[in-house]
Amino acid sequence: DRQRDRVIVENVNMGRKNVKANPDAGLPGKTIYRERSMHYSNVNLVDPVTGFPTRVYRKYLDDGTKVRVAKKSGAIIPRPEILTQRRNPKPVNVTESDTDNDDDVWEVTFNPEEYMKQN
């Protein structure tokens, strides 16, 4: 849940959910377990070298890219591929307000001297 900064981790923070019985369908009532959400601050990233949870700091490489670095081992933690994709792609619609001709873009349409003479 991005609005509340919550995540769901598989097989962690399991909670009970009671399901009511449905006598018409012949289903008994039962208790099932499912994952509950937790705040993202209660989740650590896994160190790729040691395989254990680690804290992370950010660092800039020589080429200027920003990376996440594990505190314990100093290894770079790569970002998941899914984060590089946009959820809602930007719309690309050419409308009448868009300028098709390059010469029209560079045409000077405002002259400050004429504007000052009018006022």
Side-chain angles (χ1 to χ4, degrees):
D1 185 5
R2 286 180 172 250
Q3 281 102 13
R4 296 187 304 156
D5 293 333
R6 297 184 75 80
V7 295
I8 296 175
V9 182
E10 288 183 23
N11 298 325
V12 177
N13 198 22
M14 300 295 285
R16 300 170 99 167
K17 182 176 181 186
N18 296 321
V19 179
K20 273 189 172 182
N22 189 352
D24 296 336
L27 297 174
K30 58 185 172 182
T31 302
I32 59 172
Y33 287 90
R34 63 180 218 177
E35 292 109 357
R36 303 284 184 176
S37 65
M38 65 175 79
H39 197 262
Y40 81 96
S41 65
N42 297 327
V43 178
N44 279 347
L45 291 175
V46 175
D47 191 336
V49 174
T50 62
F52 290 108
T54 182
R55 290 178 295 161
V56 174
Y57 69 94
R58 289 179 175 27
K59 176 180 170 183
Y60 287 97
L61 296 178
D62 293 335
D63 62 353
T65 57
K66 189 175 175 182
V67 294
R68 302 179 297 180
V69 180
K71 282 254 188 193
K72 289 185 180 179
S73 67
I76 294 175
I77 300 175
R79 293 189 60 84
E81 277 298 316
I82 192 145
L83 293 179
T84 60
Q85 302 169 0
R86 288 184 62 95
R87 283 183 179 252
N88 300 325
K90 290 183 178 179
V92 180
N93 297 335
V94 177
T95 62
E96 294 178 9
S97 62
D98 292 338
T99 306
D100 293 330
N101 190 358
D102 290 338
D103 296 332
D104 293 341
V105 173
W106 298 108
E107 181 183 348
V108 178
T109 58
F110 177 74
N111 190 348
E113 295 172 0
E114 290 180 11
Y115 179 76
M116 294 303 288
K117 289 178 184 176
Q118 291 176 359
N119 292 336

